[in-house]
Amino acid sequence: MNTKRILLFLFLGIAFHFQTSADEGMWVPSYIQERISDMQSKGFRLTAEELYSINNSSLKDAIVHFNGGCTGEIISDEGLLITNHHCGYGQIQYHSSVEHDYLKDGFWAMTRDEELPNPDLYVAFLEYMEDVTKKVLSGYKNGMSEKEREEIVSKNSSKIVNRIVKKGKGLKARVAPLYYGNQYFLYVYKVFTDVRLVGAPPSSIGKFGGDTDNWMWPRHTGDFSLFRVYAGKDNEPAPYSENNVPYRPKRFFKINAGGIQEGDFTLVYGYPGRTSEYVTSDAVNYIANISNPKKIKLRTLRLNIQDREMEKSDAVRIQYASKNASVANSWKKWQGEMKGIIKMNAVEKKRDFEKAFAAWAKENREYDGIIEKFSDLYSQAEELSLVKDYQNEALNAPEFLRYAAGKGGDSLLFYKDYYKPVDKAIFIALINEYDKDIDDKYKAPYFKRKLSEMGSVEKWADAIYDNDSLALAKEFYRATNSYFRSAVKPRLDSLNREITLLYRKYMRGQMEYDRQRGGTKNFYPDANSTLRIAYGKVQGYSPSDAVYYRPVSTLDGIMEKDNPRIFDYNVPQKLRDIYASKDYGEWEVDGSVPVAFIATNHTTGGNSGSPVLDAEGNLIGVNFDRVWEGTMSDLVFDPDVCRNIALDIRYALFIIDKVADAGYLMDEMVILK
Ligand code: ARG
Ligand code: ASP
């Protein structure tokens, strides 16, 4: 290579780093006007106003934050809602017993009377959002400490929130920071609590592939469930009552059953939970090389114990189904995330960027020294962060301890899903691990004293579990947590405050640095469980050398995986019969039935259940996951391999129609062909 080529090569490498690739980004709906021409150039055919409007009904009115952790969307003018099976899992499980095993067999309300109410479920419709930075920072003066600033922010925010919630039934408001508090937004929601279960396929469809296929493509999961939002006679939020009526929404999605092709425009509109795209190399290094490996180790122990007992008994399988799935979910994601970070050389790339930034900052005094300060703070915080990880993932993992301390909810509900041998074995495994890995100086004196008194973790477990000793369990939980809260957390919190403060500046610095270089990067705020728009297109990818994954999966793939001896791949007989007779009715496409597809939308946890829309804003899918090779997208986005996974809406309709014989539900939907 001659020098000129080397220079060009280097330059391209750096330029690439700065450019927000086409499909990276989770955009703020009220600012979507800024993106609309880019979106339209990629095929989108609606206006910004049709996506988000304060004065008129817009597509955002058909979307809900589902129980705080997922997204859902309305698909009829009678409040019918679709989300993922894994989002409604807790509710499906709540109504299940060995006699009525809705997890295993599915559930379909054949009349409105059969729809099942859910005590702890709510959905929130966003009424509007607005920039309140000025109001939130009123009273703040330069030079105040971060702690004083936080107090001002929280006082002003409560004032704003309290004023709003008085204005109407079911109103909820929240002020949230964007860009590490460079900006603040107010979000006003209308919250409905009478939300009833309408339908769910059996887990052999809704969770097909289970944790074996979770976070992976090719995928064949029919990951959906149906609910209905109920309101008082005035169409306003009301607590559950027999007299409530189906909610008449301002807007619902029409369904496009006309099919999708590779290259088609897609838009995901939902509630991404949390991303950290602007953090430094030290933060990414901590996740990939320290924290994730430890947390994975702890969860592997926990999962092995649960799996072993769930295999032995159907009752235990039902009791631990939801808990096991949620422990397994992050466990697997962390593994993909580590791999992705390492494969992308993300730590090294961030270091290179930081070097260039630090050199630039020498002439921009406001930003001078930031990078050095970050490494200093992170090196102080590292050990404490790990102690915190072990507090959550080891000490607080046994559920009997949490319950005894009053954190495990209502006793009826707790014991319904509690099996002592599982929890005791988890206690033994995890507390031993904690004792081995964590430096004595971070352990509560109570912990050290009691352990030597008992002689071993095993004997300690006997004392707690064999006697069902709520007192001992509570003592354990209280003592270790209060020590953590008093001896570790304050130092960690104050370091984290300094880190946040620094990020607020670094965020501005990154923007300024980029602007001086011609502004190639489009900044978007990290996800914070508020409504966002991601857009991209249906597209396959290459996970490794010589392999290319096509973007659409079909029923044929389900049958290729079918294996009655493997729990995750045991296809229900009814689906086998339909496959054998090829009785696909109107859902047949090229001799099969489409099941799922992947696209380049930037999504994260919380986006599950989000509507995936076509260029006209019609529903083509329901988002439910990401591909394994792309799970580092919460920290670094690689357009070559980051893909979201969506259920093809036609598969949901096929299941409702042919497997559930609940085709009447389609009468209230608007289905375009
Ligand atoms: N990975 C998806 C998400 O983060 C789906 C998880 C549910 N499925 C499961 N097999 N655990 O939530
Ligand atoms: N499965 C995730 C969810 O439940 C989505 C994701 O992380 O891609 O929100």
Side-chain angles (χ1 to χ4, degrees), residues 69-70 86 215 603-608 623-626:
C70 276
H86 80 260
W215 297 111
T603 55
T604 188
N607 267 125
S608 273
N623 190 71
F624 70 95
D625 211 0
R626 277 171 288 165

PDB file of all heavy atoms in Angstrom, residues 69-70 86 215 603-608 623-626, ligand 2:
ATOM      1  N   GLY A  69     -43.196  -1.887  30.944  1.00  0.00           N
ATOM      2  CA  GLY A  69     -41.982  -2.520  30.429  1.00  0.00           C
ATOM      3  C   GLY A  69     -42.031  -2.940  28.980  1.00  0.00           C
ATOM      4  O   GLY A  69     -41.018  -3.308  28.404  1.00  0.00           O
ATOM      5  N   CYS A  70     -43.210  -2.893  28.389  1.00  0.00           N
ATOM      6  CA  CYS A  70     -43.367  -3.309  27.001  1.00  0.00           C
ATOM      7  C   CYS A  70     -44.198  -2.267  26.255  1.00  0.00           C
ATOM      8  O   CYS A  70     -44.617  -1.264  26.823  1.00  0.00           O
ATOM      9  CB  CYS A  70     -44.100  -4.650  26.905  1.00  0.00           C
ATOM     10  SG  CYS A  70     -43.063  -6.122  27.095  1.00  0.00           S
ATOM     11  N   HIS A  86     -44.659 -12.767  25.335  1.00  0.00           N
ATOM     12  CA  HIS A  86     -43.771 -12.652  26.499  1.00  0.00           C
ATOM     13  C   HIS A  86     -44.069 -11.397  27.316  1.00  0.00           C
ATOM     14  O   HIS A  86     -43.658 -11.302  28.466  1.00  0.00           O
ATOM     15  CB  HIS A  86     -42.295 -12.776  26.107  1.00  0.00           C
ATOM     16  CG  HIS A  86     -41.646 -11.560  25.530  1.00  0.00           C
ATOM     17  ND1 HIS A  86     -41.461 -11.385  24.178  1.00  0.00           N
ATOM     18  CD2 HIS A  86     -41.103 -10.470  26.113  1.00  0.00           C
ATOM     19  CE1 HIS A  86     -40.837 -10.239  23.965  1.00  0.00           C
ATOM     20  NE2 HIS A  86     -40.610  -9.664  25.126  1.00  0.00           N
ATOM     21  N   TRP A 215     -33.277 -14.429  21.315  1.00  0.00           N
ATOM     22  CA  TRP A 215     -32.220 -13.535  20.821  1.00  0.00           C
ATOM     23  C   TRP A 215     -31.558 -14.043  19.543  1.00  0.00           C
ATOM     24  O   TRP A 215     -30.405 -13.711  19.289  1.00  0.00           O
ATOM     25  CB  TRP A 215     -31.124 -13.318  21.876  1.00  0.00           C
ATOM     26  CG  TRP A 215     -31.547 -12.647  23.132  1.00  0.00           C
ATOM     27  CD1 TRP A 215     -31.631 -13.217  24.367  1.00  0.00           C
ATOM     28  CD2 TRP A 215     -31.920 -11.273  23.318  1.00  0.00           C
ATOM     29  NE1 TRP A 215     -32.039 -12.292  25.298  1.00  0.00           N
ATOM     30  CE2 TRP A 215     -32.228 -11.084  24.676  1.00  0.00           C
ATOM     31  CE3 TRP A 215     -32.034 -10.177  22.446  1.00  0.00           C
ATOM     32  CZ2 TRP A 215     -32.631  -9.861  25.201  1.00  0.00           C
ATOM     33  CZ3 TRP A 215     -32.439  -8.962  22.976  1.00  0.00           C
ATOM     34  CH2 TRP A 215     -32.728  -8.814  24.330  1.00  0.00           C
ATOM     35  N   THR A 603     -33.696  -0.832  17.996  1.00  0.00           N
ATOM     36  CA  THR A 603     -34.655  -1.095  19.077  1.00  0.00           C
ATOM     37  C   THR A 603     -33.915  -1.593  20.309  1.00  0.00           C
ATOM     38  O   THR A 603     -32.751  -1.963  20.232  1.00  0.00           O
ATOM     39  CB  THR A 603     -35.653  -2.190  18.656  1.00  0.00           C
ATOM     40  OG1 THR A 603     -34.909  -3.345  18.258  1.00  0.00           O
ATOM     41  CG2 THR A 603     -36.543  -1.726  17.521  1.00  0.00           C
ATOM     42  N   THR A 604     -34.614  -1.636  21.420  1.00  0.00           N
ATOM     43  CA  THR A 604     -34.028  -2.226  22.629  1.00  0.00           C
ATOM     44  C   THR A 604     -35.130  -2.784  23.509  1.00  0.00           C
ATOM     45  O   THR A 604     -36.307  -2.775  23.112  1.00  0.00           O
ATOM     46  CB  THR A 604     -33.168  -1.193  23.389  1.00  0.00           C
ATOM     47  OG1 THR A 604     -32.480  -1.868  24.454  1.00  0.00           O
ATOM     48  CG2 THR A 604     -34.011  -0.082  23.989  1.00  0.00           C
ATOM     49  N   GLY A 605     -34.757  -3.295  24.692  1.00  0.00           N
ATOM     50  CA  GLY A 605     -35.737  -3.816  25.629  1.00  0.00           C
ATOM     51  C   GLY A 605     -36.792  -2.770  25.912  1.00  0.00           C
ATOM     52  O   GLY A 605     -36.465  -1.605  26.149  1.00  0.00           O
ATOM     53  N   GLY A 606     -38.067  -3.173  25.875  1.00  0.00           N
ATOM     54  CA  GLY A 606     -39.149  -2.209  26.019  1.00  0.00           C
ATOM     55  C   GLY A 606     -39.856  -2.004  24.694  1.00  0.00           C
ATOM     56  O   GLY A 606     -41.035  -1.695  24.631  1.00  0.00           O
ATOM     57  N   ASN A 607     -39.083  -2.215  23.607  1.00  0.00           N
ATOM     58  CA  ASN A 607     -39.677  -2.157  22.278  1.00  0.00           C
ATOM     59  C   ASN A 607     -40.484  -3.417  21.970  1.00  0.00           C
ATOM     60  O   ASN A 607     -41.142  -3.494  20.942  1.00  0.00           O
ATOM     61  CB  ASN A 607     -38.604  -2.003  21.192  1.00  0.00           C
ATOM     62  CG  ASN A 607     -38.334  -0.569  20.826  1.00  0.00           C
ATOM     63  OD1 ASN A 607     -37.196  -0.113  20.890  1.00  0.00           O
ATOM     64  ND2 ASN A 607     -39.375   0.159  20.453  1.00  0.00           N
ATOM     65  N   SER A 608     -40.419  -4.386  22.842  1.00  0.00           N
ATOM     66  CA  SER A 608     -41.204  -5.582  22.605  1.00  0.00           C
ATOM     67  C   SER A 608     -42.674  -5.224  22.575  1.00  0.00           C
ATOM     68  O   SER A 608     -43.158  -4.494  23.422  1.00  0.00           O
ATOM     69  CB  SER A 608     -40.950  -6.617  23.689  1.00  0.00           C
ATOM     70  OG  SER A 608     -39.845  -7.371  23.328  1.00  0.00           O
ATOM     71  N   ASN A 623     -43.001  -6.101  16.906  1.00  0.00           N
ATOM     72  CA  ASN A 623     -41.598  -6.280  17.270  1.00  0.00           C
ATOM     73  C   ASN A 623     -41.468  -7.186  18.500  1.00  0.00           C
ATOM     74  O   ASN A 623     -42.279  -7.102  19.416  1.00  0.00           O
ATOM     75  CB  ASN A 623     -40.987  -4.912  17.588  1.00  0.00           C
ATOM     76  CG  ASN A 623     -39.485  -4.981  17.747  1.00  0.00           C
ATOM     77  OD1 ASN A 623     -38.772  -5.165  16.776  1.00  0.00           O
ATOM     78  ND2 ASN A 623     -39.001  -4.890  18.975  1.00  0.00           N
ATOM     79  N   PHE A 624     -40.464  -8.068  18.526  1.00  0.00           N
ATOM     80  CA  PHE A 624     -40.292  -8.829  19.771  1.00  0.00           C
ATOM     81  C   PHE A 624     -38.857  -9.116  20.175  1.00  0.00           C
ATOM     82  O   PHE A 624     -38.614  -9.557  21.302  1.00  0.00           O
ATOM     83  CB  PHE A 624     -41.120 -10.115  19.776  1.00  0.00           C
ATOM     84  CG  PHE A 624     -40.676 -11.217  18.834  1.00  0.00           C
ATOM     85  CD1 PHE A 624     -39.848 -12.229  19.283  1.00  0.00           C
ATOM     86  CD2 PHE A 624     -41.140 -11.257  17.533  1.00  0.00           C
ATOM     87  CE1 PHE A 624     -39.468 -13.283  18.444  1.00  0.00           C
ATOM     88  CE2 PHE A 624     -40.770 -12.295  16.679  1.00  0.00           C
ATOM     89  CZ  PHE A 624     -39.935 -13.310  17.129  1.00  0.00           C
ATOM     90  N   ASP A 625     -37.877  -8.856  19.332  1.00  0.00           N
ATOM     91  CA  ASP A 625     -36.529  -9.234  19.746  1.00  0.00           C
ATOM     92  C   ASP A 625     -35.486  -8.602  18.835  1.00  0.00           C
ATOM     93  O   ASP A 625     -35.815  -7.826  17.937  1.00  0.00           O
ATOM     94  CB  ASP A 625     -36.395 -10.765  19.721  1.00  0.00           C
ATOM     95  CG  ASP A 625     -35.420 -11.284  20.764  1.00  0.00           C
ATOM     96  OD1 ASP A 625     -34.842 -10.475  21.510  1.00  0.00           O
ATOM     97  OD2 ASP A 625     -35.234 -12.511  20.836  1.00  0.00           O
ATOM     98  N   ARG A 626     -34.225  -8.950  19.096  1.00  0.00           N
ATOM     99  CA  ARG A 626     -33.127  -8.570  18.210  1.00  0.00           C
ATOM    100  C   ARG A 626     -32.292  -9.808  17.919  1.00  0.00           C
ATOM    101  O   ARG A 626     -32.364 -10.785  18.659  1.00  0.00           O
ATOM    102  CB  ARG A 626     -32.226  -7.531  18.901  1.00  0.00           C
ATOM    103  CG  ARG A 626     -32.729  -6.118  18.792  1.00  0.00           C
ATOM    104  CD  ARG A 626     -31.926  -5.197  19.678  1.00  0.00           C
ATOM    105  NE  ARG A 626     -32.238  -5.411  21.078  1.00  0.00           N
ATOM    106  CZ  ARG A 626     -31.501  -4.962  22.085  1.00  0.00           C
ATOM    107  NH1 ARG A 626     -30.374  -4.311  21.856  1.00  0.00           N
ATOM    108  NH2 ARG A 626     -31.869  -5.181  23.330  1.00  0.00           N
TER     109      ARG A 626
HETATM  110  N1  ASP B   2     -37.204  -8.566  23.655  1.00  0.00           N
HETATM  111  C1  ASP B   2     -37.032  -7.187  24.012  1.00  0.00           C
HETATM  112  C2  ASP B   2     -38.215  -6.650  24.812  1.00  0.00           C
HETATM  113  O1  ASP B   2     -38.863  -7.374  25.534  1.00  0.00           O
HETATM  114  C3  ASP B   2     -36.734  -6.354  22.816  1.00  0.00           C
HETATM  115  C4  ASP B   2     -35.268  -6.215  22.569  1.00  0.00           C
HETATM  116  O2  ASP B   2     -34.492  -6.149  23.529  1.00  0.00           O
HETATM  117  O3  ASP B   2     -34.908  -6.158  21.404  1.00  0.00           O
HETATM  118  O4  ASP B   2     -38.467  -5.467  24.869  1.00  0.00           O
END
